[in-house]
Amino acid sequence: MSRLKDLQKNLFGGTTSNARQFGMIFTLVAIVVLFQILTDGLTLRSDNLIALFQQNSYILILAIGMLMVIVAGHIDLSVGSVAAFAGILVAKSMAEWDLPWPVAILFGLAIGAIIGAWQGFWVAYIGVPAFIVTLAGMLLFRGGNQFIGNANTIPVPEGFREIGSGFLPEFGPNTGYNNATLLLGLAAAVAVVWREIQARKTRRAMDADPAPMWISILRMAIMVGVIAFASLRFASGRVGTSFPISGIILLVLVIAYSFYTRNTAGGRHIYAVGGNSRAAELSGVKLKRVNFFVMMNMSVLAALAGMIFVARSAASGPQDGNGWELDAIAAVFIGGAAVSGGIGTISGSIVGGLVMAVLNNGLQLMGVGTDRVQIIKGLVLLLAVAIDVYNKSQGRFSVIGSLMRPFRREDSAPPASPPDAEREPAKAAVSG
Amino acid sequence: MRKFFGTSVVAISAAAMLALAGCGSGRDGDSGSGGEAAKGFAANSLIGVALPAKTSENWVLAGDLFTNGLKEAGFQADVQYAGASTTVADQQAQITAMTTKGAKVIVIGATDAAQLSTQVAAAHAAGVKVIAYDRLITNTPDLDYYVAFDNFKVGQLQGQALLDGMKAKKPNGPYNIELFSGSPDDNNAGVFFNGAMSVLKPEIDKGNVVVASGQKDVKQTAIQGWKAEGAQARMDQLLTSTYGSKELDGVLSPNDTLARAILTSVKGAGKPTPVVTGQDSEVESVKSIVAGEQYMTINKDTRNLVKETINMVKALQAGNAPQVNDTKSYNNGSKVVDTYLLPPVAVTKANAAEAYANDPKLAPLTK
């Protein structure tokens, strides 16, 4: 086997699957490079990267929940309204009942859980389609927001604003960078390297062929390079700014939910239900419980996203949450999820969300008006999904598709076995 | 082996990061922090203008005027409207993008005046001057200037016009009037009302003017959401309850939409047309004034407001302190903002042609 083949198989996975997700990584890189050139280097400047994360963390958080909802074969149209409803209640609870802000955050999450239980109940136990339940919820909670807020804007206290507009603190010696962000980057780099080593060890223990050493090193080098670049960028913002706290919340959620959807039985059940709910039920998956969970989970994340937006805006207003559901749904589909359910990954959705975010940001930096930005975003969404559908129907190998690999799992599957069988058990059922 | 791996992992990562750190430039400190207006900036600098969604003609007109006016003055203009649905988030992102692009001044017509403090703070920290246009941005100590029409004066002009109009129709009092005010959640509504009452109160105390229904409190007179049907319903009620036999001489209405609703109600009841005030120079009301129905409106010429804002930008560019005429009244919750107030103009049938001479849309109506 030639070295090139080796590289292709081991670094990128070498399968035809996931062309869309993979295409998106490629698109993301291309868009970043394109705007970096078009905006004379503004796109990757520290302050812009920081702003980009702050502006979009709440949409990306919604995308996590939405991915799980869509994989399970549902949709949630109510997230924007739920976010606004939770936001106004939390703002009021601090302004009028003088709740301390940490308690108010818990209060907000509890509201999300109650709303989620309400919607989950109708979807899972009564069997009303999620489209209808959440369409009703969209009206219900938007109205609730206006009713409670009286169409007023209610400011929130300083401490609470941290979750939306705060940064990692400054401490330690003056290195010319934000030390906390550097440490975070170092930790991430160590984690990447450690995982690679663990994966190799596991393969050896299982008597499988580990990827050649040089490939592991190349892969690690790319990952560490990206992490180092990003953390230095975030650490070199204006004094007082660094990696945003909302970004940390997002990172924690991405890691936790990625683990849940990939490596736990509960997470795999979501894919099973989305792929073929009847078959899943007959195999012992508790269908109702899974449906209830994804709907409830979505509302909790929506409440969190609402609070982060309110914190960033320093106030809860009557227009909060308008159109968020569409941004989140677009991110998930651009990131490679299937409309019919059963397929999609959290990391793919995050990449999809980032594509939209960078596009939005880059066009704004170029001074393109919102009217044209919307047209462009609409076309990108359509094209991204269309190209993938076309490629899939042609059964073509996609170079782009295999690039997605490192973002999905750090271990490399042996070339002989179908690597996606375990990750997406429902795929055959769906595409068939 | 394990131990070796552990240390090597940290070592490799740290080395990689340090290597990159060597290439990087580090942070540039807070070199950008503003504060000194004395310095000024380059004459062809970028000026950002963030306006709300294009929901009213007024904002579209303002955007065009800013684009052209700033270009004429030699600046690069970046005029952005918020999107129709995600207005606040759009505006936040636009202001941040303008800051990133290195705008020297950002003019903001806030879509929600209380939800921009984070972005204004970031702009201020980057040395950008922030001017609030028409709507005062609240809860931020980082706003530099505010430019708007004098809303208290609007109320005063309305009150005075009401008295003048009634006197012209009927030389001697006492006059029966009714009071209307705007939406209770709009900060400006109270300002209009207080301005008008500052003129009317002395006359009411003298007994020369009588609020026949007795409803004088701003809470009783308020029309939720500035809704025309609300004003019409309230006027209907007042006519039935109070003006069965009495004559209604005048109505204080805070704006044109409500004024026309009030006139509709009076007409429906078959009463003679009272003196009704207004504001905003809406097309329908200007027609009504020329036809002799609505008595007056207020002209807040967007052209002048934009011109004054651009003058502020020019002053900042030259390194001078922009002209302000009110450093006391506009407290946004965190600080008292230096303000330039433009005088509104009262328009009646008598001066309509003159007042709208420069307005391509309204001028033909007055001929």
Side-chain angles (χ1 to χ4, degrees):
Chain A
M1 194 185 268
S2 75
R3 285 214 143 186
L4 201 67
K5 273 261 169 68
D6 250 7
L7 183 72
Q8 194 185 30
K9 294 239 176 208
N10 289 299
L11 189 58
F12 300 144
T15 69
T16 57
S17 69
N18 295 301
R20 196 192 297 172
Q21 291 189 9
F22 190 39
M24 257 19 256
I25 291 254
F26 184 77
T27 312
L28 178 60
V29 173
I31 288 180
V32 169
V33 171
L34 176 74
F35 282 119
Q36 176 73 359
I37 295 165
L38 287 178
T39 60
D40 284 333
L42 287 181
T43 300
L44 285 179
R45 220 173 66 184
S46 324
D47 53 349
N48 191 53
L49 274 184
I50 291 169
L52 192 69
F53 261 72
Q54 272 197 330
Q55 272 161 24
N56 294 288
S57 52
Y58 64 93
I59 293 291
L60 296 176
I61 286 173
L62 288 178
I64 295 174
M66 192 63 81
L67 179 269
M68 293 163 70
V69 169
I70 286 174
V71 162
H74 304 297
I75 195 85
D76 191 335
L77 301 174
S78 68
V79 291
S81 297
V82 171
F85 185 72
I88 192 83
L89 277 177
V90 169
K92 277 239 167 186
S93 74
M94 286 183 288
E96 286 176 15
W97 314 336
D98 293 324
L99 276 193
W101 66 267
V103 181
I105 291 176
L106 293 179
F107 174 64
L109 293 175
I111 293 165
I114 293 167
I115 294 173
W118 159 262
Q119 303 205 120
F121 165 75
W122 291 103
V123 172
Y125 293 100
I126 307 294
V128 182
F131 187 94
I132 306 296
V133 171
T134 57
L135 184 60
M138 185 179 181
L139 299 170
L140 205 61
F141 300 113
R142 173 61 54 191
N145 166 280
Q146 315 283 304
F147 179 73
I148 291 166
N150 212 353
N152 285 337
T153 304
I154 297 169
V156 293
E158 287 293 340
F160 183 78
R161 293 181 198 176
E162 287 293 308
I163 65 165
S165 57
F167 298 100
L168 286 180
E170 304 276 349
F171 63 82
N174 182 4
T175 53
Y177 291 97
N178 175 276
N179 295 329
T181 309
L182 288 186
L183 286 178
L184 183 72
L186 188 64
V190 170
V192 165
V193 175
W194 184 75
R195 273 191 74 178
E196 184 71 31
I197 291 166
Q198 284 300 308
R200 290 183 69 85
K201 235 186 236 167
T202 312
R203 299 207 72 81
R204 259 198 302 275
M206 292 167 68
D207 276 339
D209 279 337
M213 193 60 179
W214 66 275
I215 283 181
S216 286
I217 289 174
L218 179 61
R219 185 153 59 201
M220 281 190 282
I222 293 174
M223 295 290 282
V224 171
V226 169
I227 290 169
F229 177 78
S231 48
L232 287 177
R233 284 282 141 162
F234 280 110
S236 63
R238 191 167 41 74
V239 173
T241 65
S242 59
F243 196 72
I245 288 179
S246 53
I248 304 246
I249 297 174
L250 173 67
L251 275 185
V252 169
L253 291 175
V254 166
I255 292 169
Y257 278 97
S258 291
F259 179 81
Y260 177 74
T261 53
R262 260 191 338 217
N263 302 23
T264 68
R268 299 318 302 172
H269 285 173
I270 300 174
Y271 286 86
V273 167
N276 185 333
S277 60
R278 199 51 57 211
E281 198 172 18
L282 290 174
S283 332
V285 172
K286 294 200 172 66
L287 192 60
K288 289 178 177 168
R289 210 178 280 178
V290 170
N291 285 338
F292 183 80
F293 165 76
V294 293
M295 296 310 292
M296 177 156 164
N297 179 60
M298 179 74 258
S299 291
V300 174
L301 288 179
L304 178 62
M307 287 191 283
I308 287 177
F309 182 81
V310 166
R312 191 174 127 74
S313 304
S316 166
Q319 311 197 38
D320 293 3
N322 272 344
W324 291 6
E325 58 282 341
L326 302 178
D327 282 338
I329 293 169
V332 170
F333 284 130
I334 290 184
V339 183
S340 47
I343 299 179
T345 58
I346 299 232
S347 47
S349 304
I350 297 296
V351 171
L354 284 176
V355 166
M356 285 302 220
V358 173
L359 197 64
N360 215 356
N361 172 263
L363 290 169
Q364 262 165 1
L365 286 178
M366 291 170 65
V368 178
T370 42
D371 36 10
R372 280 178 290 163
V373 171
Q374 283 181 27
I375 295 173
I376 294 170
K377 277 164 75 180
L379 289 175
V380 166
L381 171 64
L382 187 61
L383 278 180
V385 181
I387 288 175
D388 180 68
V389 169
Y390 178 76
N391 273 347
K392 218 190 257 168
S393 69
Q394 303 286 306
R396 236 175 239 170
F397 168 77
S398 156
V399 185
I400 302 167
S402 30
L403 277 171
M404 189 57 207
R405 187 91 186 141
F407 290 83
R408 308 189 61 234
R409 196 162 198 171
E410 257 50 68
D411 63 343
S412 52
S417 77
D420 283 309
E422 173 256 353
R423 245 154 271 140
E424 283 163 20
K427 193 168 180 182
V430 176
S431 54
Chain B
M1 185 69 184
R2 246 206 110 98
K3 219 171 190 179
F4 165 71
F5 253 132
T7 25
S8 65
V9 163
V10 177
I12 292 171
S13 336
M17 306 238 343
L18 278 176
L20 270 148
C23 319
S25 52
R27 48 177 31 153
D28 34 341
D30 54 351
S31 59
S33 80
E36 307 134 76
K39 271 187 281 177
F41 48 82
N44 62 349
S45 297
L46 180 72
I47 308 297
V49 181
L51 301 175
K54 294 179 181 174
T55 46
S56 91
E57 296 167 23
N58 229 355
W59 290 114
V60 179
L61 175 64
D64 294 345
L65 292 169
F66 269 118
T67 309
N68 298 332
L70 286 170
K71 269 192 194 134
E72 264 166 42
F75 298 108
Q76 300 173 52
D78 181 13
V79 179
Q80 297 288 339
Y81 295 96
S85 61
T86 54
T87 47
V88 177
D90 273 349
Q91 193 163 54
Q92 290 175 343
Q94 283 163 349
I95 294 167
T96 311
M98 287 167 186
T99 310
T100 307
K101 282 156 79 175
K104 294 297 178 197
V105 180
I106 299 180
V107 177
I108 303 172
T111 178
D112 187 322
Q115 289 189 300
L116 297 175
S117 51
T118 308
Q119 290 70 32
V120 171
H124 181 82
V128 182
K129 294 282 175 199
V130 182
I131 301 175
Y133 171 88
D134 191 47
R135 298 176 182 173
L136 181 62
I137 299 174
T138 55
N139 296 320
T140 172
D142 301 310
L143 180 64
D144 294 293
Y145 300 100
Y146 174 46
V147 52
F149 279 99
D150 187 344
N151 288 332
F152 192 78
K153 181 88 189 199
V154 168
Q156 287 179 316
L157 288 175
Q158 287 171 334
Q160 194 55 50
L162 185 62
L163 293 179
D164 295 348
M166 291 190 297
K167 202 163 257 170
K169 275 194 179 169
K170 190 170 88 174
N172 292 308
Y175 305 103
N176 290 324
I177 66 164
E178 288 302 330
L179 308 173
F180 282 73
S181 61
S183 192
D185 57 13
D186 183 337
N187 197 26
N188 285 337
V191 180
F192 297 141
F193 190 73
N194 291 339
M197 287 309 274
S198 72
V199 176
L200 296 176
K201 191 88 195 325
E203 297 293 316
I204 293 172
D205 289 346
K206 266 192 267 171
N208 195 20
V209 168
V210 181
V211 181
S213 68
Q215 298 181 8
K216 283 183 262 190
D217 192 74
V218 70
K219 274 186 202 132
Q220 295 171 303
T221 60
I223 302 298
Q224 183 73 37
W226 297 93
K227 290 232 170 75
E229 65 259 36
Q232 196 170 342
R234 178 162 181 258
M235 194 69 230
D236 285 346
Q237 276 163 16
L238 289 172
L239 287 172
T240 342
S241 65
T242 314
Y243 295 95
S245 54
K246 276 187 207 156
E247 193 87 337
L248 174 63
D249 295 305
V251 179
L252 174 76
S253 158
N255 80 355
D256 283 349
T257 312
L258 301 193
R260 293 198 305 275
I262 290 162
L263 283 167
T264 309
S265 168
V266 174
K267 253 190 238 168
K271 299 270 175 191
T273 306
V275 173
V276 180
T277 60
Q279 172 179 203
D280 292 340
S281 298
E282 289 180 10
V283 172
E284 287 309 311
S285 281
V286 173
K287 284 184 193 161
S288 174
I289 288 170
V290 175
E293 289 178 347
Q294 184 176 328
Y295 179 71
M296 70 84 77
T297 187
I298 298 279
N299 188 19
K300 294 173 164 180
D301 194 340
T302 306
R303 286 164 196 76
N304 291 339
L305 195 56
V306 171
K307 207 200 303 169
E308 211 44 62
T309 313
I310 294 176
N311 284 342
M312 271 191 171
V313 175
K314 283 184 191 159
L316 288 168
Q317 186 273 321
N320 303 325
Q323 191 192 356
V324 292
N325 56 16
D326 188 330
T327 53
K328 286 196 287 276
S329 344
Y330 286 86
N331 187 330
N332 75 348
S334 297
K335 76 181 250 196
V336 178
V337 184
D338 287 352
T339 304
Y340 187 85
L341 289 175
L342 277 81
V345 178
V347 182
T348 59
K349 195 175 178 180
N351 69 344
E354 180 197 345
Y356 299 127
N358 294 326
D359 192 318
K361 200 175 62 196
L362 296 178
L365 301 175
T366 58
K367 282 172 187 146

